[in-house]
């Protein structure tokens, strides 16, 4: 097994400081890339997508099988201004969800921090809701998870691809913005685009409103929700008023 070279503390510190210069350059480049992503145009959704798993109950109640009604894409926002959908690979004929997608969901932090920034997170799969529920219970997840088997949502947002007549699943994330009852698609990423994601800030970086920090570009997005902004407004997850 190849291990790092053994050096003195002074040598380590010099090497660490040299690497830190490169790390800071990557951070600045990432900030610039995130700003460019927020400047992307958006597309209005003019199709009426229907999902299974709603029913007017809370996400916790739905996770316990007390929902199961129908929901529109607008319903998935749960009244918030932004929505992040995880395209979870779970085909109708599968007995369990994708292992990689499951590992990704295991990394998602407490949703209260996203909710405080006006952003809802939900998983969507093509498997029927009756297959999703037992697997969700097995995994111990309480986040919202909907079935799109009633329509073409997965295909339209390129999470399910038709390859020579065979439907192939791929993992991804899609971001949506709501203006009243109008819904807009702002961003999607797939496969390796999910690497390094899972934290609240990394997910917000994909959205049109970003982290809602005053230093972010373009100007004016931080106050779009009309709520206190900035990292100083982070609370213990049980202290937010949602």
């Amino acid at each position: 097994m190849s291990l790092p070279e053994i050096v003195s503390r002074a040598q380590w510190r010099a090497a660490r400081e040299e690497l830190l210069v490169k790390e800071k350059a990557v951070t600045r480049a990432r900030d610039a890339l995130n700003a460019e992503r927020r400047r992307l145009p958006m597309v209005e959704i003019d199709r009426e997508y229907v999902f299974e798993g709603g029913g007017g109950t809370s996400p916790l109640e739905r996770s316990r099988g007390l929902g199961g009604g129908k929901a529109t894409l607008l319903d998935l926002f749960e009244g918030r201004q932004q929505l992040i959908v995880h395209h979870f690979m779970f085909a109708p004929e599968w007995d369990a969800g994708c292992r990689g997608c499951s590992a990704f969901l295991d990394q998602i932090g407490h949703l209260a921090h996203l909710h405080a920034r006006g952003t809802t997170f939900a998983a969507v799969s093509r498997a029927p809701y009756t297959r999703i529920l037992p697997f969700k219970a097995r995994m111990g997840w309480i986040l919202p998870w909907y079935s799109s088997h009633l329509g073409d949502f997965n295909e339209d947002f390129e999470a399910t691809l038709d390859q020579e007549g065979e439907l192939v699943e791929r993992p991804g994330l899609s971001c949506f913005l709501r203006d009243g009852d109008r819904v807009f698609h702002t961003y999607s990423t797939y496969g390796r685009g999910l690497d390094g994601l899972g934290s609240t800030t990394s997910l917000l970086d994909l959205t049109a409103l970003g982290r809602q920090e005053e230093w972010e570009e373009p100007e004016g997005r931080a106050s779009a929700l009309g709520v206190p902004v900035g990292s100083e407004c982070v609370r213990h997850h049980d202290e937010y008023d949602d």
Side-chain angles (χ1 to χ4, degrees):
M1 180 171 57
S2 177
L3 298 176
E5 179 185 1
I6 300 173
V7 298
S8 68
R9 174 59 63 180
Q11 289 172 309
W12 178 89
R13 187 174 298 280
R16 176 68 188 95
E17 290 177 353
E18 181 179 346
L19 180 62
L20 182 59
V21 173
K22 298 177 181 178
E23 289 177 337
K24 288 183 176 181
V26 169
T27 297
R28 289 191 292 270
R30 184 172 60 244
D31 288 343
L33 180 63
N34 290 337
E36 188 173 348
R37 182 186 294 113
R38 289 189 291 273
R39 292 188 179 97
L40 282 173
M42 59 187 184
V43 179
E44 185 164 9
I45 306 301
D46 54 11
R47 291 196 61 178
E48 183 70 17
Y49 295 104
V50 178
F51 305 87
E52 189 177 14
T57 55
S58 70
L60 178 59
E61 291 171 323
R62 287 198 298 271
S63 73
R64 292 173 176 170
L66 301 180
K70 302 298 186 291
T72 66
L73 184 58
L74 183 62
D75 292 331
L76 268 59
F77 282 77
E78 298 183 344
R80 303 183 184 92
Q81 192 167 359
Q82 295 193 123
L83 169 67
I84 301 174
V85 168
H86 177 215
H87 300 293
F88 190 108
M89 293 171 57
F90 197 163
E93 65 274 15
W94 295 0
D95 293 325
C98 163
R99 291 185 177 92
C101 293
S102 298
F104 179 81
L105 277 194
D106 283 337
Q107 300 175 134
I108 300 298
H110 203 288
L111 296 182
H113 301 293
L114 282 173
H115 295 171
R117 293 293 174 266
T119 304
T120 298
F121 181 94
V124 171
S125 301
R126 284 199 307 124
Y129 195 58
T130 52
R131 290 206 173 200
I132 289 174
L133 274 176
F135 181 70
K136 182 178 179 180
R138 169 187 163 188
M139 294 292 100
W141 296 324
I142 61 172
L143 52 78
W145 193 350
Y146 298 85
S147 168
S148 62
H149 82 284
L150 298 174
D152 301 322
F153 179 80
N154 272 47
E155 290 87 342
D156 288 351
F157 289 93
E158 302 179 28
T160 300
L161 305 177
D162 189 338
Q163 296 185 350
E164 299 180 352
E166 181 180 354
L167 295 181
V168 177
E169 307 292 323
R170 66 169 175 168
L173 288 172
S174 289
C175 300
F176 302 89
L177 182 68
R178 182 175 67 88
D179 183 10
D181 288 342
R182 300 174 69 188
V183 175
F184 301 87
H185 176 219
T186 61
Y187 182 73
S188 286
T189 188
Y190 308 93
R192 289 292 304 275
L194 276 65
D195 286 1
L197 299 178
S199 66
T200 297
T201 51
S202 68
L203 292 172
L204 289 174
D205 282 342
L206 303 182
T207 68
L209 300 184
R211 302 183 189 189
Q212 297 148 48
E213 299 275 0
E214 293 290 357
W215 54 265
E216 288 182 306
E217 297 287 342
E219 294 183 5
R221 299 285 176 91
S223 58
L225 294 176
V227 298
V229 298
S231 55
E232 70 276 6
C233 296
V234 172
R235 302 285 184 265
H236 294 110
H237 68 247
D238 61 352
E239 294 177 345
Y240 289 115
D241 293 326
D242 187 10

